[in-house]
Amino acid sequence: METAARVSESAGGLGRDPRSVAAIVYDGLCLFEYSIVVELFGLSRPEIENWYRFETFSIDRAPLRATGGVTVEASVDRSALDRAGTIVVPGWRDLEETPPSDLLDELRAAHADGARIASVCSGVFVLAAAGLLDGLRATTHWRYAERLASRYPKIEVDSGVLYIDEGRVLTSAGSAAGIDLGLHLVRLDFGSEVANHVARRLVVAPHRDGGQAQFLERPVAVEEDASFAALLDSVRATLDGEHTIASMAAGIHVSSRSLIRLFRRSLDTTPHEWLTQERVRLAQELLESAEGGVEQVAARSGFGSAQLLRHHFRRRVGLSPTAYRRRFSKCDSS
DNA sequence: CATGTGAACCGCCAGA
DNA sequence: ATTCTGGCGGTTCACA
């Protein structure tokens, strides 16, 4: 999508771009937490301009023994930490073990230089050991909360939330909460429209019927108004029909002007922009499930013609509809 | 790819 | 005073 990437002003000193992400791995790696980081920041997303660049940096020499008995190799090039504007620590192998002091030094230096540092689950113990959390609020998996608080009394531990954003230091709770934290960062850097897009692609729901759809659709949306949310749902359910600003506005009894404001405020986009975005998404699903030709897909997703579908599809996804179908028709993993 | 037409969008202001 | 809403006019944008 062509929404210009916004760089959150909270991060990034001179030369540090928050969209340059480095994940730290170690012997004893928690694969699940690491994978979350990869899924969020490490996959290529040609449809989004200026997407994250992702590197992995290992503090130990290969092979790393990871969870599940597999071994992993990773780069030990420390310069990754000098470049990164966002550094993620996905867990830590042993709560009783103090992380290596050179790692702590480098984290402190990166932080002082303007980098954002984020942790998933037990990764918070690394940030804590570096002293980056002193005087700040932090969270972690509920099982570790007490230990974190007693060992680091200067940290205000709150185990009741999914993640905590202290500006340049961010922590998240149990493993999966790393997804929420990651989406939060995406929202800061690219806006909620993109964050929602990523969230949806992440939660690949090949058969989306059940009542969970609501929950999966917009994990980071900020819809203050229930009737506005209902409007979005009803439009989404009838994407093949005609929708104008006037008709949508009438649907919730507000003026066109207010409708435009609602979209801007809660989704940071415009009605028309959102509509084509939704239509392209639907077209993606239809293409993935391999029903009908491009002509039919266009009609069912509300594009007046196949040309129009091609135009928008290419612009937003980066591939032509047929190329997309070829590539993602069966096992799309992102 | 250029171009005309109508819709979409947003800043601004007035009224609630 | 503050915040929200609707309408107007000009500009931009999408579609044919």
Short mmCIF file of all heavy atoms in Angstrom, two decimals, chain A residues 26-80:
data_model
loop_
_atom_site.label_atom_id
_atom_site.label_comp_id
_atom_site.label_asym_id
_atom_site.label_seq_id
_atom_site.Cartn_x
_atom_site.Cartn_y
_atom_site.Cartn_z
N TYR A 26 20.64 -17.38 20.90
CA TYR A 26 21.61 -17.86 21.87
C TYR A 26 21.49 -19.37 21.95
O TYR A 26 20.49 -19.95 21.52
CB TYR A 26 21.29 -17.24 23.24
CG TYR A 26 19.81 -17.22 23.52
CD1 TYR A 26 19.19 -18.32 24.11
CD2 TYR A 26 19.00 -16.15 23.11
CE1 TYR A 26 17.83 -18.35 24.33
CE2 TYR A 26 17.64 -16.17 23.31
CZ TYR A 26 17.06 -17.27 23.93
OH TYR A 26 15.70 -17.31 24.12
N ASP A 27 22.51 -20.00 22.47
CA ASP A 27 22.43 -21.44 22.72
C ASP A 27 21.31 -21.68 23.71
O ASP A 27 21.22 -21.00 24.74
CB ASP A 27 23.76 -21.93 23.29
CG ASP A 27 23.79 -23.44 23.37
OD1 ASP A 27 23.27 -24.09 22.43
OD2 ASP A 27 24.32 -23.97 24.36
N GLY A 28 20.42 -22.60 23.40
CA GLY A 28 19.26 -22.83 24.26
C GLY A 28 18.06 -22.01 23.79
O GLY A 28 17.15 -21.72 24.57
N LEU A 29 18.08 -21.65 22.54
CA LEU A 29 17.07 -20.74 21.97
C LEU A 29 15.63 -21.24 22.13
O LEU A 29 15.34 -22.42 21.90
CB LEU A 29 17.37 -20.58 20.47
CG LEU A 29 16.42 -19.71 19.65
CD1 LEU A 29 16.49 -18.27 20.10
CD2 LEU A 29 16.75 -19.83 18.16
N CYS A 30 14.71 -20.31 22.47
CA CYS A 30 13.28 -20.61 22.47
C CYS A 30 12.77 -20.39 21.06
O CYS A 30 12.57 -19.26 20.62
CB CYS A 30 12.50 -19.68 23.40
SG CYS A 30 13.12 -19.58 25.06
N LEU A 31 12.55 -21.47 20.35
CA LEU A 31 12.17 -21.34 18.94
C LEU A 31 10.86 -20.63 18.72
O LEU A 31 10.70 -19.86 17.79
CB LEU A 31 12.11 -22.73 18.30
CG LEU A 31 13.43 -23.28 17.78
CD1 LEU A 31 13.17 -24.61 17.08
CD2 LEU A 31 14.07 -22.31 16.81
N PHE A 32 9.91 -20.89 19.59
CA PHE A 32 8.59 -20.33 19.38
C PHE A 32 8.64 -18.80 19.41
O PHE A 32 8.14 -18.12 18.52
CB PHE A 32 7.61 -20.85 20.43
CG PHE A 32 6.22 -20.34 20.26
CD1 PHE A 32 5.54 -20.53 19.06
CD2 PHE A 32 5.57 -19.68 21.29
CE1 PHE A 32 4.25 -20.06 18.89
CE2 PHE A 32 4.28 -19.21 21.13
CZ PHE A 32 3.62 -19.40 19.94
N GLU A 33 9.28 -18.28 20.44
CA GLU A 33 9.34 -16.82 20.56
C GLU A 33 10.16 -16.21 19.42
O GLU A 33 9.82 -15.15 18.89
CB GLU A 33 9.94 -16.43 21.90
CG GLU A 33 8.93 -16.46 23.02
CD GLU A 33 9.24 -17.55 24.06
OE1 GLU A 33 10.41 -17.71 24.42
OE2 GLU A 33 8.30 -18.24 24.50
N TYR A 34 11.21 -16.90 19.06
CA TYR A 34 12.01 -16.41 17.94
C TYR A 34 11.19 -16.39 16.66
O TYR A 34 11.23 -15.44 15.88
CB TYR A 34 13.26 -17.27 17.76
CG TYR A 34 14.05 -16.92 16.52
CD1 TYR A 34 14.74 -15.72 16.44
CD2 TYR A 34 14.08 -17.78 15.43
CE1 TYR A 34 15.45 -15.38 15.29
CE2 TYR A 34 14.79 -17.45 14.28
CZ TYR A 34 15.47 -16.26 14.21
OH TYR A 34 16.15 -15.92 13.08
N SER A 35 10.41 -17.44 16.46
CA SER A 35 9.61 -17.53 15.23
C SER A 35 8.59 -16.40 15.14
O SER A 35 8.30 -15.89 14.06
CB SER A 35 8.86 -18.86 15.19
OG SER A 35 9.78 -19.91 15.31
N ILE A 36 8.05 -16.02 16.26
CA ILE A 36 7.11 -14.90 16.27
C ILE A 36 7.77 -13.67 15.68
O ILE A 36 7.21 -12.96 14.84
CB ILE A 36 6.64 -14.61 17.71
CG1 ILE A 36 5.71 -15.71 18.18
CG2 ILE A 36 5.96 -13.26 17.78
CD1 ILE A 36 5.35 -15.61 19.65
N VAL A 37 8.98 -13.42 16.12
CA VAL A 37 9.70 -12.24 15.65
C VAL A 37 9.96 -12.33 14.14
O VAL A 37 9.81 -11.37 13.40
CB VAL A 37 11.02 -12.09 16.42
CG1 VAL A 37 11.77 -10.85 15.95
CG2 VAL A 37 10.77 -12.02 17.91
N VAL A 38 10.30 -13.54 13.70
CA VAL A 38 10.54 -13.71 12.27
C VAL A 38 9.26 -13.47 11.47
O VAL A 38 9.26 -12.78 10.46
CB VAL A 38 11.07 -15.13 11.98
CG1 VAL A 38 11.18 -15.35 10.48
CG2 VAL A 38 12.43 -15.32 12.64
N GLU A 39 8.18 -14.06 11.95
CA GLU A 39 6.92 -13.90 11.24
C GLU A 39 6.53 -12.43 11.10
O GLU A 39 5.98 -12.00 10.10
CB GLU A 39 5.80 -14.65 11.97
CG GLU A 39 5.85 -16.14 11.82
CD GLU A 39 5.38 -16.62 10.45
OE1 GLU A 39 4.49 -15.99 9.85
OE2 GLU A 39 5.93 -17.62 9.96
N LEU A 40 6.80 -11.68 12.14
CA LEU A 40 6.38 -10.28 12.14
C LEU A 40 7.30 -9.40 11.33
O LEU A 40 6.88 -8.56 10.56
CB LEU A 40 6.30 -9.76 13.58
CG LEU A 40 5.02 -10.13 14.30
CD1 LEU A 40 5.19 -10.03 15.79
CD2 LEU A 40 3.89 -9.22 13.83
N PHE A 41 8.59 -9.59 11.52
CA PHE A 41 9.53 -8.64 10.93
C PHE A 41 10.38 -9.25 9.82
O PHE A 41 10.97 -8.51 9.03
CB PHE A 41 10.47 -8.09 12.01
CG PHE A 41 9.76 -7.45 13.16
CD1 PHE A 41 9.77 -8.04 14.42
CD2 PHE A 41 9.06 -6.27 12.99
CE1 PHE A 41 9.11 -7.45 15.48
CE2 PHE A 41 8.41 -5.67 14.05
CZ PHE A 41 8.42 -6.27 15.29
N GLY A 42 10.47 -10.55 9.78
CA GLY A 42 11.45 -11.16 8.91
C GLY A 42 10.94 -11.63 7.56
O GLY A 42 11.73 -12.00 6.71
N LEU A 43 9.62 -11.62 7.37
CA LEU A 43 9.10 -12.07 6.09
C LEU A 43 9.05 -10.89 5.12
O LEU A 43 8.80 -9.77 5.53
CB LEU A 43 7.69 -12.64 6.26
CG LEU A 43 7.58 -13.84 7.19
CD1 LEU A 43 6.14 -14.34 7.20
CD2 LEU A 43 8.52 -14.95 6.77
N SER A 44 9.27 -11.18 3.86
CA SER A 44 9.23 -10.08 2.91
C SER A 44 7.78 -9.76 2.59
O SER A 44 6.94 -10.65 2.46
CB SER A 44 9.98 -10.45 1.64
OG SER A 44 9.13 -11.07 0.72
N ARG A 45 7.49 -8.50 2.55
CA ARG A 45 6.13 -8.05 2.24
C ARG A 45 6.19 -7.00 1.16
O ARG A 45 6.18 -5.80 1.44
CB ARG A 45 5.45 -7.48 3.49
CG ARG A 45 5.32 -8.50 4.59
CD ARG A 45 4.53 -7.98 5.77
NE ARG A 45 4.63 -8.88 6.88
CZ ARG A 45 3.87 -9.96 7.02
NH1 ARG A 45 2.95 -10.23 6.14
NH2 ARG A 45 4.04 -10.74 8.06
N PRO A 46 6.27 -7.44 -0.08
CA PRO A 46 6.47 -6.51 -1.20
C PRO A 46 5.33 -5.50 -1.31
O PRO A 46 5.51 -4.45 -1.89
CB PRO A 46 6.51 -7.43 -2.42
CG PRO A 46 5.89 -8.70 -1.99
CD PRO A 46 6.15 -8.84 -0.53
N GLU A 47 4.18 -5.85 -0.73
CA GLU A 47 3.05 -4.93 -0.87
C GLU A 47 3.15 -3.72 0.06
O GLU A 47 2.40 -2.78 -0.05
CB GLU A 47 1.73 -5.67 -0.62
CG GLU A 47 1.45 -6.04 0.83
CD GLU A 47 2.07 -7.37 1.25
OE1 GLU A 47 3.09 -7.78 0.63
OE2 GLU A 47 1.55 -7.98 2.20
N ILE A 48 4.10 -3.78 0.98
CA ILE A 48 4.27 -2.65 1.89
C ILE A 48 5.60 -1.98 1.63
O ILE A 48 6.65 -2.62 1.65
CB ILE A 48 4.19 -3.11 3.36
CG1 ILE A 48 2.83 -3.76 3.63
CG2 ILE A 48 4.42 -1.93 4.29
CD1 ILE A 48 2.75 -4.48 4.93
N GLU A 49 5.52 -0.70 1.39
CA GLU A 49 6.73 0.06 1.10
C GLU A 49 7.64 0.15 2.31
O GLU A 49 7.16 0.40 3.42
CB GLU A 49 6.32 1.49 0.73
CG GLU A 49 6.54 1.83 -0.73
CD GLU A 49 6.08 3.23 -1.00
OE1 GLU A 49 6.78 4.16 -0.56
OE2 GLU A 49 5.01 3.38 -1.63
N ASN A 50 8.89 0.00 2.10
CA ASN A 50 9.83 0.25 3.18
C ASN A 50 9.68 -0.68 4.36
O ASN A 50 9.81 -0.26 5.51
CB ASN A 50 9.63 1.67 3.71
CG ASN A 50 10.74 2.56 3.24
OD1 ASN A 50 11.89 2.11 3.19
ND2 ASN A 50 10.41 3.78 2.88
N TRP A 51 9.35 -1.89 4.09
CA TRP A 51 9.12 -2.86 5.16
C TRP A 51 10.43 -3.10 5.93
O TRP A 51 11.51 -2.72 5.47
CB TRP A 51 8.58 -4.16 4.58
CG TRP A 51 8.14 -5.15 5.60
CD1 TRP A 51 8.63 -6.39 5.80
CD2 TRP A 51 7.11 -4.97 6.57
NE1 TRP A 51 7.97 -7.00 6.83
CE2 TRP A 51 7.04 -6.16 7.33
CE3 TRP A 51 6.23 -3.91 6.88
CZ2 TRP A 51 6.14 -6.33 8.37
CZ3 TRP A 51 5.34 -4.09 7.92
CH2 TRP A 51 5.30 -5.28 8.66
N TYR A 52 10.33 -3.75 7.06
CA TYR A 52 11.49 -3.97 7.92
C TYR A 52 12.60 -4.77 7.23
O TYR A 52 12.34 -5.64 6.42
CB TYR A 52 11.07 -4.76 9.16
CG TYR A 52 10.11 -4.04 10.05
CD1 TYR A 52 8.74 -4.29 9.98
CD2 TYR A 52 10.55 -3.09 10.96
CE1 TYR A 52 7.84 -3.63 10.80
CE2 TYR A 52 9.66 -2.42 11.79
CZ TYR A 52 8.31 -2.70 11.70
OH TYR A 52 7.43 -2.03 12.50
N ARG A 53 13.80 -4.44 7.56
CA ARG A 53 14.93 -5.29 7.21
C ARG A 53 15.27 -6.08 8.48
O ARG A 53 15.24 -5.54 9.58
CB ARG A 53 16.13 -4.45 6.79
CG ARG A 53 15.93 -3.73 5.48
CD ARG A 53 17.03 -2.72 5.22
NE ARG A 53 17.13 -1.74 6.29
CZ ARG A 53 16.27 -0.74 6.47
NH1 ARG A 53 15.24 -0.60 5.64
NH2 ARG A 53 16.41 0.11 7.46
N PHE A 54 15.55 -7.34 8.30
CA PHE A 54 15.65 -8.21 9.46
C PHE A 54 16.96 -8.97 9.49
O PHE A 54 17.40 -9.51 8.48
CB PHE A 54 14.48 -9.20 9.44
CG PHE A 54 14.46 -10.14 10.62
CD1 PHE A 54 14.02 -9.71 11.86
CD2 PHE A 54 14.90 -11.45 10.47
CE1 PHE A 54 14.00 -10.57 12.95
CE2 PHE A 54 14.88 -12.33 11.57
CZ PHE A 54 14.43 -11.87 12.79
N GLU A 55 17.61 -8.99 10.64
CA GLU A 55 18.84 -9.75 10.80
C GLU A 55 18.76 -10.54 12.10
O GLU A 55 18.09 -10.13 13.04
CB GLU A 55 20.05 -8.82 10.92
CG GLU A 55 20.41 -8.08 9.66
CD GLU A 55 21.64 -7.22 9.88
OE1 GLU A 55 21.49 -6.09 10.38
OE2 GLU A 55 22.75 -7.71 9.57
N THR A 56 19.46 -11.63 12.14
CA THR A 56 19.55 -12.39 13.37
C THR A 56 21.01 -12.42 13.81
O THR A 56 21.91 -12.61 12.99
CB THR A 56 19.04 -13.82 13.16
OG1 THR A 56 17.66 -13.78 12.83
CG2 THR A 56 19.22 -14.64 14.43
N PHE A 57 21.19 -12.22 15.08
CA PHE A 57 22.54 -12.18 15.60
C PHE A 57 22.67 -13.16 16.76
O PHE A 57 21.88 -13.13 17.70
CB PHE A 57 22.86 -10.75 16.08
CG PHE A 57 23.99 -10.68 17.05
CD1 PHE A 57 25.27 -11.05 16.66
CD2 PHE A 57 23.78 -10.26 18.36
CE1 PHE A 57 26.32 -11.00 17.56
CE2 PHE A 57 24.82 -10.21 19.26
CZ PHE A 57 26.09 -10.58 18.87
N SER A 58 23.65 -14.03 16.67
CA SER A 58 23.82 -15.02 17.73
C SER A 58 24.97 -14.63 18.66
O SER A 58 26.05 -14.24 18.19
CB SER A 58 24.11 -16.39 17.12
OG SER A 58 24.42 -17.30 18.16
N ILE A 59 24.74 -14.76 19.95
CA ILE A 59 25.81 -14.45 20.89
C ILE A 59 26.69 -15.67 21.13
O ILE A 59 27.72 -15.58 21.78
CB ILE A 59 25.24 -13.96 22.24
CG1 ILE A 59 24.36 -15.04 22.89
CG2 ILE A 59 24.44 -12.69 22.05
CD1 ILE A 59 23.94 -14.68 24.31
N ASP A 60 26.25 -16.81 20.61
CA ASP A 60 27.05 -18.03 20.76
C ASP A 60 27.41 -18.58 19.39
O ASP A 60 26.73 -18.31 18.40
CB ASP A 60 26.26 -19.09 21.54
CG ASP A 60 25.95 -18.63 22.96
OD1 ASP A 60 26.89 -18.20 23.65
OD2 ASP A 60 24.77 -18.67 23.35
N ARG A 61 28.47 -19.37 19.37
CA ARG A 61 28.87 -20.01 18.11
C ARG A 61 27.93 -21.16 17.80
O ARG A 61 27.42 -21.83 18.70
CB ARG A 61 30.30 -20.55 18.22
CG ARG A 61 31.31 -19.46 18.51
CD ARG A 61 32.44 -19.49 17.47
NE ARG A 61 33.03 -18.17 17.38
CZ ARG A 61 32.97 -17.39 16.30
NH1 ARG A 61 32.35 -17.83 15.22
NH2 ARG A 61 33.52 -16.20 16.29
N ALA A 62 27.75 -21.39 16.52
CA ALA A 62 26.92 -22.52 16.10
C ALA A 62 27.62 -23.82 16.51
O ALA A 62 28.83 -23.83 16.67
CB ALA A 62 26.73 -22.47 14.59
N PRO A 63 26.91 -24.93 16.65
CA PRO A 63 25.46 -24.99 16.53
C PRO A 63 24.76 -24.61 17.83
O PRO A 63 25.24 -24.95 18.92
CB PRO A 63 25.22 -26.47 16.21
CG PRO A 63 26.35 -27.18 16.88
CD PRO A 63 27.54 -26.24 16.86
N LEU A 64 23.65 -23.93 17.70
CA LEU A 64 22.85 -23.60 18.87
C LEU A 64 21.85 -24.72 19.11
O LEU A 64 21.18 -25.15 18.18
CB LEU A 64 22.08 -22.30 18.64
CG LEU A 64 22.87 -21.10 18.13
CD1 LEU A 64 21.92 -19.93 17.87
CD2 LEU A 64 23.94 -20.70 19.13
N ARG A 65 21.77 -25.16 20.34
CA ARG A 65 20.75 -26.15 20.65
C ARG A 65 19.46 -25.40 20.96
O ARG A 65 19.44 -24.53 21.83
CB ARG A 65 21.17 -26.98 21.86
CG ARG A 65 22.29 -27.97 21.57
CD ARG A 65 22.98 -28.39 22.84
NE ARG A 65 23.58 -27.24 23.52
CZ ARG A 65 24.15 -27.30 24.71
NH1 ARG A 65 24.19 -28.44 25.37
NH2 ARG A 65 24.68 -26.22 25.26
N ALA A 66 18.43 -25.72 20.20
CA ALA A 66 17.17 -25.00 20.38
C ALA A 66 16.12 -25.92 20.96
O ALA A 66 16.33 -27.13 21.06
CB ALA A 66 16.69 -24.43 19.05
N THR A 67 14.97 -25.36 21.32
CA THR A 67 13.90 -26.16 21.88
C THR A 67 13.48 -27.23 20.88
O THR A 67 13.52 -27.02 19.68
CB THR A 67 12.69 -25.28 22.23
OG1 THR A 67 12.45 -24.39 21.13
CG2 THR A 67 12.94 -24.47 23.47
N GLY A 68 13.10 -28.37 21.40
CA GLY A 68 12.66 -29.44 20.52
C GLY A 68 13.79 -30.31 20.03
O GLY A 68 13.58 -31.21 19.22
N GLY A 69 15.00 -30.03 20.51
CA GLY A 69 16.12 -30.89 20.15
C GLY A 69 16.71 -30.62 18.80
O GLY A 69 17.50 -31.43 18.30
N VAL A 70 16.36 -29.51 18.16
CA VAL A 70 16.98 -29.19 16.88
C VAL A 70 18.18 -28.27 17.11
O VAL A 70 18.30 -27.64 18.17
CB VAL A 70 16.00 -28.50 15.90
CG1 VAL A 70 14.82 -29.39 15.64
CG2 VAL A 70 15.56 -27.16 16.45
N THR A 71 19.06 -28.23 16.15
CA THR A 71 20.17 -27.30 16.25
C THR A 71 20.08 -26.27 15.14
O THR A 71 19.54 -26.53 14.08
CB THR A 71 21.53 -28.02 16.17
OG1 THR A 71 21.56 -28.79 14.96
CG2 THR A 71 21.74 -28.91 17.36
N VAL A 72 20.64 -25.11 15.43
CA VAL A 72 20.45 -23.96 14.56
C VAL A 72 21.79 -23.27 14.36
O VAL A 72 22.63 -23.27 15.25
CB VAL A 72 19.48 -22.96 15.23
CG1 VAL A 72 19.33 -21.70 14.39
CG2 VAL A 72 18.13 -23.60 15.47
N GLU A 73 21.97 -22.72 13.17
CA GLU A 73 23.15 -21.89 12.93
C GLU A 73 22.71 -20.47 12.69
O GLU A 73 21.68 -20.22 12.07
CB GLU A 73 23.91 -22.39 11.69
CG GLU A 73 24.68 -23.65 11.92
CD GLU A 73 25.45 -24.03 10.65
OE1 GLU A 73 26.10 -23.14 10.08
OE2 GLU A 73 25.37 -25.20 10.26
N ALA A 74 23.50 -19.52 13.15
CA ALA A 74 23.15 -18.12 12.91
C ALA A 74 24.40 -17.29 12.86
O ALA A 74 25.45 -17.68 13.38
CB ALA A 74 22.20 -17.61 14.00
N SER A 75 24.29 -16.13 12.26
CA SER A 75 25.43 -15.23 12.13
C SER A 75 25.89 -14.73 13.49
O SER A 75 25.08 -14.45 14.37
CB SER A 75 25.04 -14.04 11.25
OG SER A 75 25.94 -12.98 11.46
N VAL A 76 27.19 -14.62 13.66
CA VAL A 76 27.71 -14.08 14.92
C VAL A 76 28.31 -12.70 14.69
O VAL A 76 29.11 -12.21 15.46
CB VAL A 76 28.79 -15.00 15.54
CG1 VAL A 76 28.15 -16.28 16.03
CG2 VAL A 76 29.89 -15.30 14.53
N ASP A 77 27.87 -12.07 13.61
CA ASP A 77 28.40 -10.75 13.25
C ASP A 77 27.78 -9.68 14.16
O ASP A 77 26.62 -9.32 14.03
CB ASP A 77 28.06 -10.47 11.78
CG ASP A 77 28.50 -9.07 11.37
OD1 ASP A 77 29.22 -8.42 12.16
OD2 ASP A 77 28.12 -8.64 10.26
N ARG A 78 28.56 -9.18 15.08
CA ARG A 78 28.04 -8.28 16.09
C ARG A 78 27.62 -6.93 15.52
O ARG A 78 26.93 -6.16 16.18
CB ARG A 78 29.10 -8.04 17.18
CG ARG A 78 29.69 -9.31 17.74
CD ARG A 78 30.49 -9.03 19.00
NE ARG A 78 29.67 -9.08 20.19
CZ ARG A 78 29.45 -10.19 20.89
NH1 ARG A 78 29.97 -11.33 20.53
NH2 ARG A 78 28.68 -10.15 21.96
N SER A 79 28.06 -6.61 14.31
CA SER A 79 27.73 -5.30 13.77
C SER A 79 26.22 -5.15 13.55
O SER A 79 25.72 -4.05 13.40
CB SER A 79 28.46 -5.06 12.45
OG SER A 79 27.99 -5.95 11.46
N ALA A 80 25.51 -6.27 13.56
CA ALA A 80 24.05 -6.20 13.44
C ALA A 80 23.48 -5.28 14.52
O ALA A 80 22.53 -4.54 14.30
CB ALA A 80 23.44 -7.59 13.55
#
